[in-house]
Amino acid sequence: MSSIFMQPNSSANVTFVRPATFFINGFFDVPHAKYYYVFLSLVYVVTVLGNSFIMCIIYLARRLHTAKYIAVFHLAFSDLCGSSALIPKVIDTFLFEHQDISYEACLVYMFFVYHFMNLQSLTLLVLAYDRLVAICFPLQYHAIVTKPAMFLIIGVVWSFSVTFFSVLVCSVNRLSFCGSNVLDSYFCDYGPIYRIACNDNSVNILLGKICYSLLIFTPLILIFISYFCIALVLFKIPHGVDRIKAIKTCTSHLILVAIFYIPILSNNIASIITPLHPNARIINNSLTQTIPPMLNPIIYTLKTEEVMQSIKELYKRSKVNTTTDRRIKCSRRN
């Protein structure tokens, strides 16, 4: 346990106790738990390689310089940053046994993990909007979903996310920790922090519920509404070939939505039905936060025809350039 210092509140006759550090507990009595963190490190390597690859393809392939792929690039960037905010610190915490973290560093850690997870969720909503306009208003698509409009949407998403999670994280400062400083989690999670507070945490509970609503349920409901509208339009398409072609443009996005939201919803439903053991909760939550960013670039690469075509074109171009360079070198030697 770490020492604590006392910080008086000048506005009221209340003494706030703030820990110098938090202790991140991790798994309870799990033999060979380090192997799980080694697994997470492998997940991180694949995530970095996959998302860096898809970002490079979008940057290099001119045919992908469209509003839709600005959003796809942003999703890959959010996945990469979200995993980088979480996994290296988890590895450092448990593989190298640095489980004590300073109070301020804990709040910064919390902010970036939640912020980038929120960006992933909202970017999936932006991609659903893109598909809604493309299928329901095909003639107006290029006039509505423009590059400036997409940059504006992403800018609004960032402003909203930074503002909300700044408020969420700063709300921890109103809590007093006069008992334990041990967090039963694998990172500086908001819920375990406000649960160990010894003063009124009702505001933090409310903010936590709002966080889940904004992060998970509201985007998911809006995505469901958008696909309901898309389904209505698809049923009106007379030719089956055209309908299948339109459905294919949504397939990769629907898989991403399922991978991201279904595990989170399952965890929440399971925790409501029966109290989860802390170890089960840690495994469920960590996999929920780390596996989708790893799978997203793989799915977009394999399931999106435009991306596959761009990869082939870039490969052929690099092959031609390599052959040309060899010929030039040979001619210079001769």
Side-chain angles (χ1 to χ4, degrees):
M1 298 286 178
S2 302
S3 61
I4 56 177
F5 65 87
M6 304 189 75
Q7 178 182 347
N9 185 344
S10 58
S11 62
N13 294 323
V14 177
T15 299
F16 279 88
V17 182
R18 185 170 295 168
T21 63
F22 286 110
F23 182 85
I24 303 176
N25 208 25
F27 287 114
F28 288 89
D29 300 323
V30 176
H32 310 297
K34 288 188 176 182
Y35 290 115
Y36 180 71
Y37 301 117
V38 172
F39 164 72
L40 288 184
S41 67
L42 295 175
V43 169
Y44 179 63
V45 170
V46 176
T47 300
V48 170
L49 293 175
N51 285 289
S52 299
F53 177 74
I54 200 79
M55 288 164 69
C56 287
I57 294 299
I58 294 170
Y59 177 77
L60 294 172
R62 289 185 178 179
R63 70 186 298 168
L64 300 181
H65 292 180
T66 62
K68 174 188 173 182
Y69 283 97
I70 290 172
V72 175
F73 185 95
H74 185 257
L75 179 63
F77 176 76
S78 302
D79 287 341
L80 180 60
C81 292
S83 293
S84 297
L86 179 67
I87 299 178
K89 185 60 182 173
V90 168
I91 293 167
D92 178 63
T93 300
F94 299 107
L95 283 184
F96 299 101
E97 298 181 353
H98 297 152
Q99 289 173 262
D100 278 302
I101 182 171
S102 71
Y103 179 88
E104 293 78 11
C106 186
L107 297 192
V108 172
Y109 185 17
M110 182 199 303
F111 171 82
F112 282 109
V113 171
Y114 276 110
H115 169 60
F116 284 112
M117 190 177 179
N118 186 50
L119 289 183
Q120 293 165 32
S121 178
L122 293 179
T123 306
L124 290 174
L125 175 59
V126 172
L127 287 167
Y129 164 74
D130 172 83
R131 292 300 83 203
L132 176 69
V133 178
I135 293 173
C136 297
F137 308 99
L139 299 178
Q140 293 85 26
Y141 175 75
H142 292 290
I144 298 172
V145 185
T146 61
K147 290 182 186 178
M150 188 58 73
F151 280 120
L152 178 62
I153 290 169
I154 290 172
V156 170
V157 164
W158 268 78
S159 300
F160 164 76
S161 186
V162 168
T163 302
F164 178 79
F165 287 105
S166 296
V167 172
L168 184 84
V169 170
C170 288
S171 71
V172 174
N173 289 321
R174 64 179 298 279
L175 297 175
S176 181
F177 302 92
C178 51
S180 172
N181 71 331
V182 177
L183 303 180
D184 291 332
S185 185
Y186 61 101
F187 79 107
C188 287
D189 203 352
Y190 186 68
I193 286 179
Y194 73 64
R195 288 190 191 101
I196 63 172
C198 53
N199 64 334
D200 180 29
N201 63 0
S202 56
V203 172
N204 302 84
I205 293 172
L206 177 62
L207 283 172
K209 290 178 179 178
I210 293 171
C211 175
Y212 262 107
S213 175
L214 294 175
L215 182 66
I216 306 302
F217 297 111
T218 301
L220 184 58
I221 289 167
L222 292 174
I223 290 170
F224 178 80
I225 291 170
S226 67
Y227 272 101
F228 178 76
C229 296
I230 288 169
L232 292 177
V233 172
L234 290 177
F235 280 124
K236 293 178 182 178
I237 296 175
H239 302 291
V241 176
D242 294 334
R243 188 184 300 138
I244 292 168
K245 194 175 179 181
I247 290 170
K248 278 185 178 179
T249 65
C250 301
T251 304
S252 56
H253 178 252
L254 281 170
I255 295 171
L256 299 187
V257 170
I259 288 171
F260 184 84
Y261 288 107
I262 289 176
I264 296 174
L265 291 174
S266 301
N267 288 347
N268 280 277
I269 292 168
S271 62
I272 292 170
I273 294 172
T274 178
L276 287 176
H277 189 276
N279 290 342
R281 182 164 47 80
I282 287 172
I283 291 174
N284 289 345
N285 290 342
S286 59
L287 291 177
T288 296
Q289 286 180 273
T290 56
I291 296 300
M294 181 186 71
L295 295 178
N296 287 352
I298 297 170
I299 291 164
Y300 248 104
T301 301
L302 297 177
K303 296 293 293 181
T304 308
E305 192 175 328
E306 288 171 305
V307 174
M308 287 298 293
Q309 196 63 37
S310 297
I311 293 170
K312 290 174 185 175
E313 288 175 4
L314 289 171
Y315 176 72
K316 287 177 184 176
R317 195 192 306 169
S318 66
K319 211 171 181 182
V320 169
N321 291 339
T322 303
T323 306
T324 304
D325 289 341
R326 284 176 182 171
R327 286 176 181 173
I328 292 170
K329 287 178 181 178
C330 289
S331 63
R332 284 176 180 174
R333 287 172 186 173
N334 296 330

